[in-house]
Amino acid sequence: MKLIFNSYRPFKIACSSCGLFLLALSFCFTGFGQSPVIKTEADTTQIRIGEQIQLKITVEADSAAQVIFPEGQTFSPLETVEAFKTDTNRVNDRMILQKIYALTQFDSGQYVVPIQRIEIDGAGYFTDSLMVAVGTVPVDTTTQKMYDIKPLIQVEKNNTAFWIKLLVSILVLGLLGWIIYRVFFKKKPLTQEEKEAILPPYDRALMELKRLENSRYLIQDEYKKYYSELTAIVRAYLEEEVHISALESTTQQLIEKIELLKDAGELNLEEDTINQFNKILQTADLVKFAKSKPPTNVAENDRLVLEQIVTKTHEAIPEPDEEELMQREEYLLELARQKRKKKRRQYGIAALIVVLLSLGSLAVYMGPQNFWDTVSGNPTKKLLEKDWVSSTYGFPPISLESPEVLLREYKELSAEEKEKIREQHIFEYSNPDALFKIGTKSTVLAQPEEPDYEKTLEQVLKDLGEAGARNLITKQEEFTTQTGVKGIKVYGRGTFSLPESNESERGQYAIYLFGGNGFQQVIVLTWQDDDPYAEEIIDRIQNSLEVKTEA
């Protein structure tokens, strides 16, 4: 069954002569503009609880007209389930727009779909109202057996997610440990150069002289390179073993330094050995600077002589005395201290890398914002994640879940209030760090009368203002608890004063008003704006909220 309502009705002409004139005039100007036509069409006016009706609004207007359909829950007391996309058609110079709304209701009764305002080029046009009957679903208890509620069944907790997380964590930490071990602690095999570098000066000098013997310098007639490397090996040895500046000294200066050490008794070399060394150094100078070229056998013999000089020099160094041994021991202790310091630095860097990588992995796993709020100790996150308390407050009772228990507040009633109020119970919880507050007030009236919600709301807003709230934006809607108790919800945003401070912060509030014959219940919530954890707390409190319908 479809019902069609046409909200556009042409007016009647009072005077026939005038009517004929206007009719003729309308034919003349038909092409210049016509009034919009609005039709309301419903597929049915009788549904059962939870079923839907399809309400179609059709607007016929000029092709250039701007049409705005109603949005949101404007069909109350029916609930808008879905607003479908607007369908547009054109017929000549006219535009036909159709929009379908799916509506439903979960309580039986007769309901009127209210008049809807359609805005066309800034002007308002209205649809017709519609009566809808919502019936209950019949239950046949003669053919359908009734069964008791089944008992609770113990279900084992599924720990699959936990074991997966644990395995991933172990793998990540194992990989980090392996990388740190490879980078910082595993001893890498020494290269040939490193092995030679850690040899004693005497052994290293002999090895380098043997390597020079097997070189191809003399075969390739490269005497300059041969003698340069030959003298450099011996000079480096003297500098390390005898502790004289041999590499930067000329031949004469080096011989003078050796003779001084000999005279001082610090180097027991024979004079003949010093003269041989001086002669080879002079030959090397001639080769390097005068382009002299000694016979090959002389060059080879010079290498053998220097090898013997290195050995004699090594043997000529006297044994260190007690002071030198002490200095050497201090030197070794200093080396050990530096080595330990280097190890500690490596351990510190490794630990820092482990911590940073662990924190980074945790941040990726938890999400950057959630991770930061956890590390910084976000107060509303702490409230959300702690063990909540489910309790009943006052009389008539108000039941809700909250992060903390609400504490009783005592307020002295004025003489005027005592005439209207028989008893009153106030409970509050406030967290200044989270800018979060919960308050409940249960009132038993002195007379069996309906509560004045407007006056109560005015008093609550006044109390918020005295607490420092400013520029409160107020919205109102009907609120229904999980058990079907209906009340009023007033909510909005504003500026709230920070505790013990002259500063203020943007925040939100919600006021829930319930009541009946001779009693009233009020719940007030305030929290910081743009706080996702506070929003979750408010949703949880709101979903747990229950009140009695009579005192």
Side-chain angles (χ1 to χ4, degrees):
M1 177 182 66
K2 287 190 177 181
L3 302 178
I4 301 177
F5 306 90
N6 193 333
S7 61
Y8 168 63
R9 302 176 179 87
F11 57 83
K12 294 182 179 179
I13 312 235
C15 177
S16 61
S17 59
C18 182
L20 292 173
F21 173 74
L22 291 175
L23 184 62
L25 190 64
S26 67
F27 278 112
C28 295
F29 291 95
T30 299
F32 295 90
Q34 298 179 20
S35 299
V37 177
I38 300 176
K39 297 179 182 179
T40 306
E41 180 180 350
D43 60 344
T44 181
T45 58
Q46 293 184 347
I47 60 173
R48 289 180 293 183
I49 291 175
E51 291 183 340
Q52 298 179 10
I53 67 169
Q54 300 285 326
L55 182 67
K56 180 167 66 177
I57 299 177
T58 304
V59 177
E60 182 181 344
D62 290 338
S63 59
Q66 184 180 7
V67 180
I68 300 177
F69 287 92
E71 297 291 342
Q73 300 294 335
T74 61
F75 295 90
S76 181
L78 270 70
E79 180 181 339
T80 304
V81 178
E82 184 177 3
F84 296 94
K85 190 176 179 180
T86 305
D87 185 20
T88 305
N89 291 315
R90 294 183 182 273
V91 179
N92 297 327
D93 60 343
R94 301 286 283 175
M95 177 175 59
I96 300 175
L97 303 174
Q98 291 183 341
K99 191 172 185 69
I100 298 176
Y101 298 88
L103 309 177
T104 189
Q105 175 57 253
F106 296 96
D107 289 330
S108 61
Q110 299 284 334
Y111 297 94
V112 176
V113 178
I115 294 173
Q116 301 294 310
R117 185 178 188 273
I118 311 294
E119 188 173 309
I120 304 176
D121 289 335
Y125 295 84
F126 299 89
T127 65
D128 288 320
S129 60
L130 173 66
M131 180 68 74
V132 177
V134 181
T136 59
V137 178
V139 179
D140 187 358
T141 59
T142 60
T143 59
Q144 176 66 43
K145 293 183 180 181
M146 304 298 290
Y147 298 95
D148 291 333
I149 298 175
K150 292 184 177 181
L152 295 176
I153 300 175
Q154 290 287 346
V155 179
E156 292 185 4
K157 185 177 179 180
N158 189 350
N159 295 320
T160 304
F162 168 77
W163 288 111
I164 291 176
K165 292 179 182 178
L166 180 61
L167 179 61
V168 171
S169 302
I170 292 173
L171 291 175
V172 171
L173 291 176
L175 179 62
L176 291 177
W178 181 79
I179 292 173
I180 292 170
Y181 170 74
R182 293 279 298 180
V183 173
F184 294 101
F185 301 110
K186 185 178 180 180
K187 292 184 178 180
K188 299 178 182 178
L190 297 178
T191 62
Q192 186 62 31
E193 291 78 8
E194 291 173 336
K195 290 179 180 179
E196 293 177 4
I198 63 176
L199 289 174
Y202 172 68
D203 296 333
R204 188 166 63 251
L206 293 181
M207 183 184 65
E208 289 175 351
L209 289 172
K210 289 293 183 183
R211 184 187 299 126
L212 183 63
E213 180 184 6
N214 298 324
S215 69
R216 301 180 62 82
Y217 291 141
L218 299 179
I219 298 174
Q220 296 174 352
D221 206 24
E222 294 179 349
Y223 283 83
K224 183 176 181 180
K225 289 183 179 180
Y226 177 82
Y227 272 96
S228 296
E229 190 168 331
L230 178 64
T231 55
I233 292 171
V234 180
R235 285 173 180 268
Y237 165 71
L238 292 175
E239 190 155 303
E240 288 186 75
E241 188 87 311
V242 187
H243 307 295
I244 57 176
S245 54
L247 292 173
E248 299 176 357
S249 301
T250 62
T251 297
Q252 184 178 355
Q253 291 172 343
L254 179 57
I255 296 300
E256 290 176 355
K257 291 177 182 178
I258 293 174
E259 289 179 344
L260 286 174
L261 289 175
K262 178 179 179 300
D263 296 338
E266 297 180 6
L267 189 63
N268 301 321
L269 279 178
E270 296 179 355
E271 191 66 31
D272 186 51
T273 302
I274 298 175
N275 292 333
Q276 286 181 331
F277 184 42
N278 184 27
K279 184 179 179 181
I280 294 174
L281 290 177
Q282 290 176 352
T283 302
D285 291 340
L286 291 173
V287 173
K288 289 188 289 184
F289 303 112
K291 297 183 180 180
S292 175
K293 184 180 177 183
T296 304
N297 62 334
V298 173
E300 291 177 349
N301 185 66
D302 287 345
R303 186 196 61 76
L304 292 172
V305 172
L306 282 182
E307 187 174 328
Q308 295 173 0
I309 292 174
V310 168
T311 302
K312 291 179 180 180
T313 303
H314 178 69
E315 295 173 350
I317 298 174
E319 293 293 329
D321 56 17
E322 185 176 351
E323 183 179 353
E324 289 177 340
L325 290 175
M326 290 285 292
Q327 290 177 352
R328 183 175 298 180
E329 185 177 357
E330 290 178 1
Y331 175 72
L332 294 176
L333 290 174
E334 178 64 20
L335 288 179
R337 189 186 65 80
Q338 292 180 0
K339 188 175 182 180
R340 288 195 301 270
K341 185 177 179 181
K342 183 179 179 181
K343 281 288 184 182
R344 286 196 296 268
R345 186 163 54 248
Q346 289 179 341
Y347 285 130
I349 294 173
L352 180 62
I353 291 174
V354 170
V355 171
L356 292 178
L357 289 176
S358 300
L359 292 177
S361 303
L362 196 59
V364 172
Y365 176 75
M366 296 176 61
Q369 186 63 44
N370 188 18
F371 172 76
W372 172 249
D373 291 336
T374 302
V375 173
S376 61
N378 186 288
T380 47
K381 189 174 188 295
K382 287 183 179 179
L383 287 177
L384 179 62
E385 294 178 347
K386 69 184 310 181
D387 293 333
W388 279 42
V389 178
S390 180
S391 187
T392 301
Y393 303 95
F395 181 82
I398 300 173
S399 299
L400 54 82
E401 289 184 2
S402 58
E404 294 284 354
V405 176
L406 278 60
L407 302 179
R408 182 182 291 274
E409 298 288 332
Y410 296 94
K411 178 183 178 183
E412 187 68 27
L413 298 176
S414 64
E416 182 182 355
E417 290 175 330
K418 288 180 179 179
E419 294 179 359
K420 298 181 180 180
I421 298 174
R422 192 170 72 194
E423 59 178 299
Q424 192 174 71
H425 305 273
I426 302 174
F427 294 84
E428 284 187 0
Y429 166 74
S430 177
N431 188 321
D433 295 329
L435 300 177
F436 179 78
K437 188 173 182 179
I438 309 173
T440 67
K441 182 189 292 186
S442 300
T443 305
V444 179
L445 304 177
Q447 301 296 328
E449 59 184 6
E450 292 295 323
D452 188 346
Y453 289 130
E454 291 186 4
K455 189 173 182 180
T456 303
L457 177 60
E458 182 180 344
Q459 182 61 45
V460 173
L461 293 176
K462 181 181 177 182
D463 293 340
L464 289 176
E466 291 177 353
R470 296 289 183 271
N471 305 321
L472 295 179
I473 299 173
T474 302
K475 301 178 183 179
Q476 182 173 319
E477 64 182 26
E478 186 182 85
F479 178 78
T480 305
T481 66
Q482 296 290 335
T483 57
V485 181
K486 293 186 178 181
I488 299 172
K489 177 183 177 182
V490 180
Y491 62 99
R493 285 179 166 84
T495 304
F496 295 83
S497 296
L498 298 176
E500 301 178 0
S501 173
N502 295 326
E503 299 180 358
S504 57
E505 191 81 33
R506 290 289 296 171
Q508 298 187 50
Y509 72 94
I511 304 168
Y512 303 86
L513 302 170
F514 300 91
N517 190 19
F519 73 95
Q520 187 178 40
Q521 297 136 309
V522 181
I523 301 95
V524 181
L525 306 173
T526 60
W527 66 96
Q528 189 175 6
D529 200 6
D530 296 328
D531 187 342
Y533 306 110
E535 295 288 350
E536 290 188 49
I537 292 174
I538 296 302
D539 289 342
R540 185 169 174 180
I541 293 174
Q542 179 176 280
N543 293 333
S544 68
L545 186 59
E546 291 296 342
V547 296
K548 283 192 66 174
T549 57
E550 58 183 14

